[in-house]
Amino acid sequence: MVAKTMDQLVALCKRRGFIFQNADIYGGLQGVYDYGPLGVELKNNLKNAWWRSMVYERDDIEGLDAAILTNRKVLQYSGHEDTFSDPMTDCKKCKGRFRADHIKDGKCPNCGSTELTEPRPFNLMFKTSIGPVDDGSVFGYLRPETAQAIFTQFRNVVDSTSRKLPFGIAQIGKSFRNEITPRNFIFRVREFEQAELEYFVMPGEDEKWHEYWKEARIKWWEEQGLKRENMNIYTTPKDDLAHYAKACYDIEYQFPHGMEELEGIANRTDYDLGNHTKAQEEMNLTSHCHPNPDSTQKLCIMDDNNKWVVPFVIEPSMGVDRGVLAVMTEAYEEEDLGEGNTRVVLKLKKHLAPIKVAIIPLKKNNEAIMNKCHEIKQNLLKLGIGRVALENTGNIGKAYRRHDEIGTPLCITVDFETIENQPESVTIRDRDTMEQHRVNVADLPAYLREYFL
Ligand code: ATP
């Protein structure tokens, strides 16, 4: 198989409208991207698959959608204000700035100079002033992870749902990190989306659940189309763990630029709830927590013996943008069709495909054919299978090529036979096999329901 490069993916994303550089007309904003007409569909489909597997298919997980603007105190007591930083180094020669832990052989990645400053911590959070006074005295942050609001809303969720351990709270949303060197397309960006689950368990049962979620998440990624042999489980060495973690697995994926982190699965212990809770002295906390005179709520839950306990938490945290990049990388293929012909095809799982079915008229200006296309589209929309697109190019070969490239599983062609013969029938073409066969229009809903649902 032909090797997939980042350049091929970036070109496809721009050409077909998946992902664009933000503020392109002004030269761009570094580390910020916009999702185009097809990208928004693919990303939504991936998020929906995650939400479905976490919230709808289980009975032990609730959802949450919290604010992005974050009270400074939350990120003070979570430890982010003091410790959420990367080591930064400057090149004395070309003045470039880099993450010190990304530098190889002690050389500047830009000019090769070895004259680098000592690494110093650079906090990754975006500070923003809140309210009408802009003198820097009243400020908050754009959240650097979605997790913190799950911890601060823990008691409100427990009280409103009567949950018992173990149970989880899931959230999908934007996070912001002022990365020193954003790079590799949407892999490392400054504004991104996370899908995070905080799964609360009895202390002592945390290690068992950590293993459980590692396995569950690998399986889920396989269901999104990633091959097991393209994933790797990396166990973070103790010295490299985040400030809140007791242990962490990374699910890594073979991206075009290398085997890199797609999702982190951390054992965050009682660190966060313990730091945010009031009355810490009553809580029998096991990890080191800073005194918290500001919190007004006890972040604990009743165990089976009617004792208050601060749960431990296991956190599978996936990057949605890295997920989009991974499923696109896996799905991208350039096929040799013989006789000098090739095609690009995106073999996405059908639940992820931005467009599920394309309806293609044989002739674009033929009223009878177009009316039939509209009628078929209206009927298919009722199935709730996702986006059904009506093509109006009148060039079938071109339409097939475009839909192969964007991963549309099925194309339906409406031709003169459809409108002139009884029973009415259309041609259905399969993206992967390119095989075509005729199906009666009356049978289309049942055919597609069977195929997609
Ligand atoms: P890295 O080591 O690559 O900087 P991290 O370990 O800091 O990532 P986490 O804090 O564990 O990342 O965040 C959970 C997930 O959020 C990551 O697995 C990744 O998929 C995603 N993520 C984190 N930072 C970024 C970023 N700058 N751009 C895109 N996705 C990100």
Side-chain angles (χ1 to χ4, degrees), residues 357 359 374-386 388 412 441 444-446 448:
V357 179
I359 303 174
H374 282 291
E375 187 189 313
I376 292 173
K377 172 165 175 169
Q378 288 313 314
N379 280 331
L380 298 190
L381 278 181
K382 291 184 197 140
L383 300 175
I385 52 174
V388 176
I412 293 178
V441 173
L444 271 179
L448 294 179

Side-chain angles (χ1 to χ4, degrees), residues 20 90 128 156 371-372 415 434:
F20 307 125
D90 288 341
T128 185
N156 288 337
N371 286 345
K372 187 49 69 184
D415 52 25
M434 292 186 283

Side-chain angles (χ1 to χ4, degrees), residues 31 84 86 99 101-102 124 144-145 175-179 182-183 185-196 221 242 244 248 250-251 255 260-266 268 315-323:
F84 195 62
D86 279 335
R99 243 175 89 164
D101 55 333
H102 283 172
L124 299 178
E145 59 174 15
S175 291
F176 300 81
R177 296 182 189 178
N178 196 5
E179 295 282 351
R183 57 184 175 175
F185 194 33
I186 53 170
F187 178 83
R188 184 173 303 286
V189 282
R190 292 185 167 135
E191 172 172 342
F192 56 100
E193 234 170 326
Q194 291 181 310
E196 295 194 299
W221 280 113
Y244 47 72
C248 186
D250 289 346
I251 300 180
F255 288 101
E260 294 247 31
E261 177 177 339
L262 170 63
E263 166 161 346
I265 303 164
R268 291 180 80 131
E315 176 197 67
S317 169
M318 110 178 188
V320 176
D321 310 81
R322 289 187 190 179

Side-chain angles (χ1 to χ4, degrees), residues 358-403:
I359 303 174
I360 306 168
L362 180 74
K363 251 183 161 325
K364 71 171 173 180
N365 294 326
N366 183 291
E367 206 183 329
I369 288 185
M370 284 314 293
N371 286 345
K372 187 49 69 184
C373 287
H374 282 291
E375 187 189 313
I376 292 173
K377 172 165 175 169
Q378 288 313 314
N379 280 331
L380 298 190
L381 278 181
K382 291 184 197 140
L383 300 175
I385 52 174
R387 187 161 172 204
V388 176
L390 204 157
E391 281 291 323
N392 200 5
T393 56
N395 181 334
I396 294 193
K398 226 172 162 180
Y400 284 164
R401 256 200 311 286
R402 178 175 119 81
H403 284 286

Side-chain angles (χ1 to χ4, degrees), residues 26-187:
Y26 292 113
L29 179 61
Q30 219 200 346
V32 184
Y33 287 89
D34 297 334
Y35 285 76
L38 297 177
V40 61
E41 301 288 347
L42 173 55
K43 185 152 79 134
N44 281 343
N45 292 342
L46 190 66
K47 289 192 284 185
N48 288 341
W50 187 89
W51 193 263
R52 191 187 158 109
S53 81
M54 289 295 184
V55 183
Y56 293 175
E57 289 175 3
R58 302 179 62 104
D59 299 311
D60 57 351
I61 296 179
E62 303 284 354
L64 184 76
D65 180 19
I68 289 168
L69 280 177
T70 305
N71 184 319
R72 180 185 177 194
K73 288 210 166 78
V74 172
L75 293 157
Q76 273 178 322
Y77 286 112
S78 71
H80 283 79
E81 205 172 72
D82 284 342
T83 52
F84 195 62
S85 54
D86 279 335
M88 180 172 72
T89 185
D90 288 341
C91 172
K92 290 182 186 160
K93 201 163 162 210
C94 74
K95 309 287 178 224
R97 278 207 157 147
F98 309 95
R99 243 175 89 164
D101 55 333
H102 283 172
I103 286 189
K104 298 195 172 67
D105 314 331
K107 286 189 184 142
C108 169
N110 195 24
C111 70
S113 163
T114 51
E115 285 187 58
L116 303 170
T117 61
E118 279 301 307
R120 59 197 185 286
F122 172 77
N123 195 295
L124 299 178
M125 290 197 295
F126 282 99
K127 229 180 198 180
T128 185
S129 52
I130 296 177
V133 184
D134 192 15
D135 63 3
S137 61
V138 185
F139 68 89
Y141 293 102
L142 303 186
R143 63 184 177 194
E145 59 174 15
T146 68
Q148 287 307 318
I150 298 182
F151 301 127
T152 55
Q153 293 295 2
F154 174 78
R155 205 42 203 272
N156 288 337
V157 174
V158 170
D159 289 349
S160 57
T161 61
S162 309
R163 284 288 177 186
K164 293 273 174 224
L165 297 180
F167 85 100
I169 304 177
Q171 179 170 214
I172 301 177
K174 291 264 174 141
S175 291
F176 300 81
R177 296 182 189 178
N178 196 5
E179 295 282 351
I180 299 166
T181 36
R183 57 184 175 175
N184 295 319
F185 194 33
I186 53 170
F187 178 83

